[in-house]
Amino acid sequence: MTLTLHDTLTREKRPFVPVNPARVTMYVCGPTVYGYAHIGNARPVVVFDVLFRVLRHFYGADAVVYARNVTDVDDKINAKAAAEGVDIRVITDRFFAAYEQDMAALGALTPTVQPRATEHIDAMVEQIGALVDRGAAYAAEGHVLFDTQAFADYGQLSGRPLEDMVAGARVEVAPYKRHPGDFVLWKPSKVNEPVWQSPWGPGRPGWHIECSAMIAARLGLPIDIHGGGVDLTFPHHENELAQGRCAHDIPVYAHYWMHNGFLDLSGEKMSKSLGNVVIPHDLLATVPGEVLRWALLSAHYRAPLDWTPDLLDQSRRALDRLYGALQRVKDVAFTPVDPPAALVEALADDLNTPRAYAELFALARTLETAPPEGKAEAKALLLAGAQLLGFLAADPDAWFAGGADDTLKAQVEALLVARAAARAAKDWPAADAIRKELDALGVVVLDGAQGATWRRKDGA
Ligand SMILES: [Zn+2]
């Protein structure tokens, strides 16, 4: 089976061929840790988590090196630290811890390495030095700038020719820039900002150099896959590519550039100014992380994803169906198997998650209709397929109980028995009254062919 991936740079889908199958490298731009991540930031996390799982399936768990950086020096971090009167590390440690916790709740595996920018300043200074030496960067007024005119391929990734950037420059161009498109590699720190020493004077790195320097230091160039949200294509990835290629004098920086589409909120772009920012950290108080993960992967990763209240309901129902199928065979022992070919094929086709979802439902149907002697294998196949996508790891009973204690569980089970008896006796008013009682306990009754089951309402 061939894994095919879409590459933003060549604008084509083609078979994935790693440079070294024994060490497949992937880098994804990570969070700037000054606040809680919004739901748009969570999309690449789960998308590239699925790719990480697929790569491990194809090449072996030990053969894939996945790096996701932590931007822990930045204007917003500095501002927040100054406002609280603390060191930037206090802010970045706090929000990085929250980020790790929230992304784990979304079922994302921990990347192999999570390099922090402040721990790689030497690598950045070294890469900037190489750029200056090769004539691709210049120092001016305490700054070091990348010389975009020195790199003929600048603009290739985003499809924006350098000339267009001049015409489109709306902001006033700093007088020390040779070209309006030139961008900062190193800049002087303002008063009370963190500062590091460099051959061009004390200061701090620009944002773009962080990723290319850490990739060179931790993964080695070129890498197999570079990922991120489509909004990073320009300028961030365009600049990373320019830096990496020029500093190391190499024709390729990343063999595959992968970008996930935007996330829109009920048809609107999510933004602070519109006041419609959705924060997983808050949502997770009432919605299981697995439901958020299902919603985030419900569209193909390159398509825009419309985030609506309805999407969360649909995702909850989809998982209830799958967990329901598992709950009915909870006592069936099974031997783990490899994920089914049809599902792997769907994911190998440029991570076609909607098709993989259809395969999961087909596997659940097979499980439901299997004769008793076929249940164990059908269960094993459903679980193996789900695991490749990062789903169905919970115990089905626990999934539906949603943290209910034993007293509540016993109470609910007794009420369901009483309700079944009332319905059998066609005593509809009594059955209705019991249902209302269950509702008041924060319980949703799920009627099915094999009788009624229940689940706790989210946030109850
Ligand atoms: Zn980056």
Side-chain angles (χ1 to χ4, degrees), residues 190-277:
K190 297 192 194 90
V191 182
N192 294 330
E193 281 183 349
V195 61
W196 289 270
Q197 296 309 314
S198 87
W200 314 280
R204 60 194 181 94
W207 171 39
H208 313 301
I209 195 73
E210 172 187 323
C211 290
S212 55
M214 291 198 288
I215 286 175
R218 301 300 292 270
L219 297 180
L221 282 166
I223 52 170
D224 290 310
I225 299 168
H226 194 311
V230 68
D231 52 319
L232 294 183
T233 314
F234 185 86
H236 184 53
H237 290 164
E238 192 73 62
N239 293 352
E240 262 193 55
L241 185 158
Q243 294 160 173
R245 277 191 53 194
C246 291
H248 300 270
D249 195 19
I250 45 173
V252 175
Y253 175 72
H255 287 279
Y256 297 77
W257 282 93
M258 294 178 65
H259 292 100
N260 65 271
F262 280 113
L263 184 145
D264 297 332
L265 273 189
S266 304
E268 271 187 340
K269 282 258 166 325
M270 186 170 65
S271 77
K272 278 213 175 105
S273 55
L274 287 170
N276 61 355
V277 178

Side-chain angles (χ1 to χ4, degrees), residues 92-443:
T92 59
D93 279 351
R94 183 194 308 159
F95 288 106
F96 180 46
Y99 181 81
E100 284 207 289
Q101 200 183 350
D102 294 342
M103 297 308 118
L106 298 182
L109 303 171
T110 307
T112 325
V113 277
Q114 299 195 76
R116 295 179 73 127
T118 53
E119 289 166 5
H120 293 80
I121 304 287
D122 288 352
M124 297 178 213
V125 168
E126 190 186 320
Q127 195 168 72
I128 296 168
L131 288 168
V132 172
D133 290 348
R134 289 181 188 277
Y138 55 93
E141 296 182 28
H143 295 68
V144 183
L145 294 125
F146 185 88
D147 185 354
T148 46
Q149 293 169 102
F151 181 50
D153 288 343
Y154 192 81
Q156 217 175 50
L157 178 67
S158 57
R160 299 186 190 206
L162 200 50
E163 309 83 70
D164 289 7
M165 290 174 212
V166 184
R170 281 165 299 176
V171 287
E172 206 180 313
V173 177
Y176 46 78
K177 284 192 182 181
R178 290 183 190 165
H179 185 282
D182 294 355
F183 56 90
V184 165
L185 302 171
W186 189 265
K187 58 183 171 185
S189 298
K190 297 192 194 90
V191 182
N192 294 330
E193 281 183 349
V195 61
W196 289 270
Q197 296 309 314
S198 87
W200 314 280
R204 60 194 181 94
W207 171 39
H208 313 301
I209 195 73
E210 172 187 323
C211 290
S212 55
M214 291 198 288
I215 286 175
R218 301 300 292 270
L219 297 180
L221 282 166
I223 52 170
D224 290 310
I225 299 168
H226 194 311
V230 68
D231 52 319
L232 294 183
T233 314
F234 185 86
H236 184 53
H237 290 164
E238 192 73 62
N239 293 352
E240 262 193 55
L241 185 158
Q243 294 160 173
R245 277 191 53 194
C246 291
H248 300 270
D249 195 19
I250 45 173
V252 175
Y253 175 72
H255 287 279
Y256 297 77
W257 282 93
M258 294 178 65
H259 292 100
N260 65 271
F262 280 113
L263 184 145
D264 297 332
L265 273 189
S266 304
E268 271 187 340
K269 282 258 166 325
M270 186 170 65
S271 77
K272 278 213 175 105
S273 55
L274 287 170
N276 61 355
V277 178
V278 175
I279 310 286
H281 187 79
D282 299 337
L283 274 177
L284 285 166
T286 54
V287 183
E290 199 167 347
V291 171
L292 301 185
R293 181 181 180 91
W294 187 277
L296 285 166
L297 294 170
S298 60
H300 186 265
Y301 79 90
R302 282 194 285 128
L305 175 64
D306 203 13
W307 191 265
T308 61
D310 206 36
L311 177 64
L312 284 185
D313 289 344
Q314 284 166 18
S315 303
R316 178 39 133 150
R317 282 198 298 274
L319 285 164
D320 281 349
R321 243 171 89 191
L322 297 173
Y323 272 115
L326 287 174
Q327 194 180 35
R328 286 184 279 281
V329 292
K330 64 179 176 188
D331 298 325
V332 174
F334 68 98
T335 315
V337 293
D338 284 336
L343 188 139
V344 178
E345 219 168 273
L347 292 176
D349 179 15
D350 194 29
L351 299 186
N352 192 333
T353 51
R355 225 175 93 198
Y357 280 13
E359 291 299 334
L360 282 184
F361 288 122
L363 290 163
R365 271 194 304 277
T366 306
L367 171 59
E368 300 269 33
T369 55
E373 66 277 14
K375 293 281 189 207
E377 200 201 350
K379 179 179 179 181
L381 283 168
L382 172 58
L383 283 171
Q387 193 183 20
L388 191 56
L389 280 154
F391 292 118
L392 304 185
D395 172 78
D397 284 343
W399 170 262
F400 289 107
D405 59 20
D406 288 345
T407 316
L408 178 61
K409 279 189 216 167
Q411 202 179 351
V412 172
E413 295 295 344
L415 284 168
L416 280 180
V417 170
R419 180 170 169 268
R423 284 163 67 102
K426 301 201 187 319
D427 184 351
W428 308 120
D432 262 8
I434 296 168
R435 190 176 187 122
K436 282 194 186 112
E437 215 175 316
L438 286 160
D439 188 64
L441 288 171
V443 163

